[in-house]
């Protein structure tokens, strides 16, 4: 392994928590090639020296974003959104008769398809939520991804990926050869930059937290730390939703079940772990 690649692995791990495998040198170079070309760096070693010497936050952000996986789609894996409408939402509404408020967090939201899918599922539950205050927070480490999410403009391929024709026509509108999420739906979601490695102990409480297909890229100790803070951000009867492939060990603060393409972690009531 080259020294430059080893330094890159340490940097990405410390800044974003991403565990970059030792055999991913070619992957890293291909992702970073446009940045190296723009900064006239002939190789990875020159890029690392540039980052370390100048402490350029904008350059570091570009490197982190290049190494981040932004794979997503509307209603990805389907099961969590069906359960949101059919199970979790009715149960929460029954328990939240006062103050008639729901809070949902989409962590690592990428380009916005997940939080917009959540908003669509809630919109399709109306008029039940007509008199409710519903807050959907969507966060990501990538400002570029968040810019796309805030615009809510997607290509034909992106719009059709995961959306039925009925949902496409109900929630999106044609826009300059693309599809744009309608104003009412975009108004339901607040986007904010957040690194899951940063402190967010004061966040919440959230009734449901979606944090899918992201923790599996973190080092084990980073996963445990993030899980602890996600637990702290949940309401007493809140639910954490992970990706089905995320098989890290869970502690006694959560019950665990797997349903289709998601791993569901209801927060245990205190009496159950006393």
């Amino acid at each position: 392994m080259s020294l430059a690649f080893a330094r890159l692995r340490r940097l990405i791990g410390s800044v974003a928590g991403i565990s970059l495998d030792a055999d991913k040198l070619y992957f890293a170079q291909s992702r970073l090639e446009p940045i190296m070309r723009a900064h006239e760096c002939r190789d990875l070693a020159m890029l690392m020296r540039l980052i370390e010497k100048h402490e350029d936050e904008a350059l570091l952000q570009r490197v982190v974003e290049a190494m981040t996986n932004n794979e997503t789609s509307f209603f990805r894996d389907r099961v969590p959104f069906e359960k949101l409408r059919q199970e979790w939402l009715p149960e929460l509404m029954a328990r939240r008769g006062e103050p008639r408020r729901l809070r949902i967090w989409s962590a690592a939201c990428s380009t916005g398809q997940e939080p917009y899918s959540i908003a669509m599922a809630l919109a399709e539950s109306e008029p039940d939520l007509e008199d409710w205050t519903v807050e959907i927070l969507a966060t990501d480490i990538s400002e570029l991804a968040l810019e796309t999410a805030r615009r809510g403009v997607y290509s034909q391929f992106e719009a059709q990926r995961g959306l039925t024709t009925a949902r496409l026509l109900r929630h999106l509108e044609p826009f300059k050869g693309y599809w744009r999420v309608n104003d009412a739906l975009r108004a339901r979601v607040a986007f904010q930059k957040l690194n899951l490695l940063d402190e967010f102990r004061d966040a919440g409480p959230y009734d449901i937290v979606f944090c899918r297909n992201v923790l599996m890229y973190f080092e084990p100790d980073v996963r445990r730390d993030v899980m602890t803070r996600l637990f702290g951000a949940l309401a007493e009867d809140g639910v954490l939703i992970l990706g089905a492939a995320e098989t890290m060990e869970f502690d006694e603060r959560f019950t665990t079940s797997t349903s289709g393409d998601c791993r569901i972690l209801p927060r245990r009531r205190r009496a159950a772990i006393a």
Side-chain angles (χ1 to χ4, degrees):
M1 183 192 308
S2 73
L3 290 176
F5 184 52
R7 281 149 55 200
L8 174 67
R9 293 179 70 215
R10 288 195 295 271
L11 177 69
I12 296 300
S14 64
V15 173
I18 298 171
S19 177
L20 190 59
D21 293 342
D23 61 354
K24 295 292 186 181
L25 173 59
Y26 177 77
F27 166 81
Q29 288 177 325
S30 64
R31 285 288 186 96
L32 296 174
E33 195 276 334
I35 299 175
M36 290 192 289
R37 187 170 60 247
H39 288 270
E40 299 180 345
C41 296
R42 65 174 177 269
D43 55 26
L44 184 58
M46 283 190 68
L47 178 63
M48 291 306 300
R49 285 197 296 271
L50 186 64
I51 294 171
E52 293 163 353
K53 180 178 180 181
H54 295 282
E55 298 182 352
D56 187 331
E57 288 295 328
L59 175 58
L60 178 58
Q61 179 67 26
R62 287 189 65 193
V63 169
V64 169
E65 290 181 347
M67 300 305 300
T68 301
N69 183 3
N70 286 320
E71 171 65 20
T72 188
S73 62
F74 288 103
F75 290 91
R76 183 182 182 184
D77 301 328
R78 189 171 49 81
V79 171
F81 306 98
E82 291 181 352
K83 283 190 165 289
L84 175 64
R85 290 185 60 202
Q86 298 170 8
E87 297 181 24
W88 304 326
L89 186 59
E91 291 172 5
L92 283 168
M93 291 177 69
R95 295 196 295 267
R96 302 289 192 274
E98 292 296 335
R100 301 174 73 82
R101 180 189 185 194
L102 294 174
R103 304 187 75 210
I104 300 174
W105 178 15
S106 170
C109 70
S110 186
T111 47
Q113 285 92 324
E114 178 176 89
Y116 286 134
S117 297
I118 294 169
M120 290 179 198
L122 297 182
E124 291 164 7
S125 299
E126 291 174 347
D128 292 341
L129 288 168
E130 214 168 61
D131 300 324
W132 286 66
T133 298
V134 180
E135 300 174 18
I136 303 173
L137 174 67
T139 65
D140 200 87
I141 192 175
S142 170
E143 188 58 55
L144 288 175
L146 289 171
E147 286 176 9
T148 297
R150 292 185 185 105
R151 288 195 303 269
V153 176
Y154 301 97
S155 68
Q156 181 76 26
F157 172 77
E158 291 170 323
Q160 289 184 316
R161 192 178 177 203
L163 290 180
T164 63
T165 301
R167 275 184 168 145
L168 177 65
L169 296 177
R170 175 175 177 179
H171 299 296
L172 282 76
E173 57 195 15
F175 179 75
K176 298 180 180 179
Y178 292 83
W179 289 89
R180 180 173 61 186
V181 176
N182 65 42
D183 292 346
L185 208 66
R186 279 188 290 124
R188 286 178 173 257
V189 184
F191 291 98
Q192 177 182 318
K193 184 178 178 181
L194 184 141
N195 185 340
L196 287 173
L197 269 61
D198 292 341
E199 185 61 61
F200 57 87
R201 292 183 188 276
D202 294 332
Y206 288 96
D207 301 299
I208 301 176
V209 175
F210 286 74
C211 188
R212 301 190 300 147
N213 306 310
V214 59
L215 295 182
M216 60 188 180
Y217 296 110
F218 291 174
E219 295 283 0
D221 57 336
V222 175
R223 285 200 299 264
R224 286 191 291 271
D225 182 55
V226 173
M227 284 285 289
T228 294
R229 284 180 284 129
L230 288 173
F231 175 84
L234 280 171
E236 285 290 332
D237 55 352
V239 178
L240 172 63
I241 314 302
L242 303 180
E246 293 174 301
T247 57
M248 69 285 291
E249 294 181 2
F250 303 114
D251 59 44
E252 64 179 2
R253 292 172 299 183
F254 295 97
T255 57
T256 307
S257 66
T258 302
S259 179
D261 293 317
C262 68
R263 191 171 291 272
I264 306 161
L265 283 75
R267 176 170 167 164
R268 287 186 188 272
R269 304 296 181 87
R270 287 182 177 175
I273 61 173

